[in-house]
Amino acid sequence: MKRLFLLLGLLTGLILGYLLFWPVDIDPASWTPPAAPDLEQGTYAANDKLASAELLSTEPFGAGPEDVAIDSNGFIYGGLVDGKILRYQADGSQPTVFAETGGRPLGFHFDTLGNLIVADAEKGLLSVDPTGKVSLLTNTVNGETINFADDLEIGADGVIYFSDASSKFGVHEFRSDLMEHRPNGSLLSYDPRTGETKKLADGLFFANGIAVSPDQQFLLVVETNKYRVQKYWLQGPKAGSMEIFVDNLPGFPDGISTGENGTFWIACPNPRNAPLDALLPNPFLRKLAYRLPEALQPQEIRYGMVLGFDATGNLTYNLQDPSGRLAVITSVQEFDGQLYLGSLREPAIGRLKL
């Protein structure tokens, strides 16, 4: 019996030592988030408006069409976890492999020449011509490697604006960036006329979706880990400065796009997580939680959420699906009266008539 107690004591000591002192690759910073908006009632009240979305299967090719783009012929494109880019007919049928990047394609947009511009988290900013040939546009800025190209938008002048989500953690470590909660992200631009890559702003908390305003006066950049969207002025007396566009969102904002009527669509792959919000003010507890098996850390919730805002930041659309029929929605694109929904994990693209 004495030996059993000794063994239990030793095991307890080892577990405590691991939880308290085992080195981790995050350096958490304290942040107290605002109280999450109510999903039971009020502005962001839950509904089932996303539940009727049509699902365009990505099988048997794979899963995770994180972003969606539609070309001038109405063909639909989505990039999968293993680097494949699928192309569907305009009616959503007959998916085929259009190209392969060899990385993790995330953000998509077509330029005026018909090239699909891709923010690939592992390769950088890529261009895929109409035949499916992939070429590198840029993967460095100021002599440093772009670590996590995430999303992009193309201005009317052809300049490509894109995000580097985290200079410290890669695409497979995004949970680490969230748990660290430091401003590791940047907003970048690439000018195809000169080949120049610029850093427009840094100090962003997981820089994610990008959208340019219809009048080209400003762009919006999502800060996923701050539950907010920032406005970066491109023109006028405030050019080069940033201000908050919308704050304290009810979910983790991800992709953002400009709709056909000027609506800014925001995809939220998950609603706010109460256990995580409770951990954020305490770096010590976050280190403890980070040392636990991932299954014991705060988890994703299967939930569908897409929000629309006007140019002044007022909510105009609140589309949800608490059942999570299509979950982890990371992008939304409006085309011809329909919303196309991408997902980080699902084996399908969603399509919803407005």
Side-chain angles (χ1 to χ4, degrees):
M1 184 64 70
K2 184 177 181 181
R3 180 177 296 178
L4 177 61
F5 284 132
L6 287 173
L7 288 173
L8 288 174
L10 178 61
L11 181 60
T12 301
L14 288 173
I15 293 173
L16 286 175
Y18 170 78
L19 291 175
L20 293 173
F21 302 112
W22 190 262
V24 293
D25 58 359
I26 63 170
D27 178 23
S30 176
W31 180 60
T32 302
D38 190 358
L39 292 181
E40 298 297 325
Q41 57 185 351
T43 304
Y44 297 111
N47 56 70
D48 62 357
K49 294 179 181 180
L50 285 179
S52 61
E54 177 188 4
L55 302 183
L56 311 180
S57 176
T58 61
E59 296 176 332
F61 302 102
E66 205 269 356
D67 199 3
V68 182
I70 297 92
D71 69 13
S72 59
N73 296 312
F75 293 157
I76 306 159
Y77 298 75
L80 306 184
V81 171
D82 63 358
K84 294 186 184 74
I85 297 176
L86 299 187
R87 177 170 62 191
Y88 296 75
Q89 298 297 308
D91 63 1
S93 67
Q94 302 176 19
T96 58
V97 177
F98 168 66
E100 296 191 49
T101 69
R104 179 41 166 132
L106 297 177
F108 281 175
H109 269 288
F110 279 96
D111 67 14
T112 56
L113 300 177
N115 301 306
L116 180 62
I117 308 302
V118 180
D120 188 296
E122 298 177 349
K123 301 295 183 178
L125 191 67
L126 309 176
S127 177
V128 186
D129 73 13
T131 69
K133 180 182 177 181
V134 180
S135 58
L136 175 67
L137 296 178
T138 182
N139 61 2
T140 62
V141 59
N142 300 334
E144 299 178 352
T145 300
I146 295 167
N147 189 59
F148 189 163
D150 196 319
D151 196 24
L152 69 99
E153 174 70 285
I154 304 176
D157 58 359
V159 173
I160 302 167
Y161 301 99
F162 65 110
S163 55
D164 182 359
S166 174
S167 61
K168 183 173 180 179
F169 300 100
V171 62
H172 303 296
E173 305 166 309
F174 66 90
R175 291 172 63 94
S176 299
D177 195 271
L178 173 61
M179 292 294 279
E180 179 167 278
H181 211 275
R182 288 188 179 274
N184 298 321
S186 301
L187 171 64
L188 310 175
S189 70
Y190 172 80
D191 191 335
R193 297 165 297 187
T194 63
E196 184 179 14
T197 306
K198 294 181 180 179
K199 182 177 289 189
L200 303 180
D202 56 13
L204 302 177
F205 289 79
F206 203 87
N208 206 324
I210 305 286
V212 177
S213 66
D215 61 8
Q216 307 294 300
Q217 291 293 305
F218 63 87
L219 64 77
L220 300 180
V221 54
V222 168
E223 283 188 286
T224 299
N225 293 351
K226 280 276 194 176
Y227 313 136
R228 71 185 182 187
V229 180
Q230 293 254 39
K231 176 188 289 186
Y232 178 89
W233 288 98
L234 296 171
Q235 299 185 38
K238 296 182 180 180
S241 66
M242 299 188 78
E243 60 189 58
I244 294 175
F245 174 72
V246 62
D247 201 2
N248 196 27
L249 289 164
F252 290 84
D254 196 306
I256 187 171
S257 65
T258 307
E260 295 175 2
N261 63 351
T263 297
F264 291 108
W265 294 104
I266 300 176
C268 295
N270 272 269
R272 294 269 289 274
N273 187 299
L276 177 63
D277 275 2
L279 285 174
L280 285 172
N282 195 313
F284 175 74
L285 291 181
R286 289 221 301 286
K287 279 190 175 184
L288 290 182
Y290 188 76
R291 292 184 180 106
L292 293 171
E294 188 172 308
L296 298 179
Q297 297 178 24
Q299 297 297 301
E300 293 178 348
I301 302 169
R302 286 196 64 86
Y303 199 104
M305 184 184 295
V306 170
L307 306 173
F309 293 85
D310 65 18
T312 61
N314 292 313
L315 184 73
T316 54
Y317 289 91
N318 173 28
L319 312 177
Q320 298 186 37
D321 178 14
S323 75
R325 179 169 170 265
L326 180 68
V328 198
I329 299 173
T330 46
S331 66
V332 52
Q333 298 289 336
E334 182 181 352
F335 180 78
D336 196 23
Q338 300 191 90
L339 296 183
Y340 289 82
L341 310 173
S343 170
L344 184 66
R345 306 198 190 283
E346 299 288 276
I349 291 171
R351 181 164 64 182
L352 180 73
K353 179 175 286 189
L354 279 174

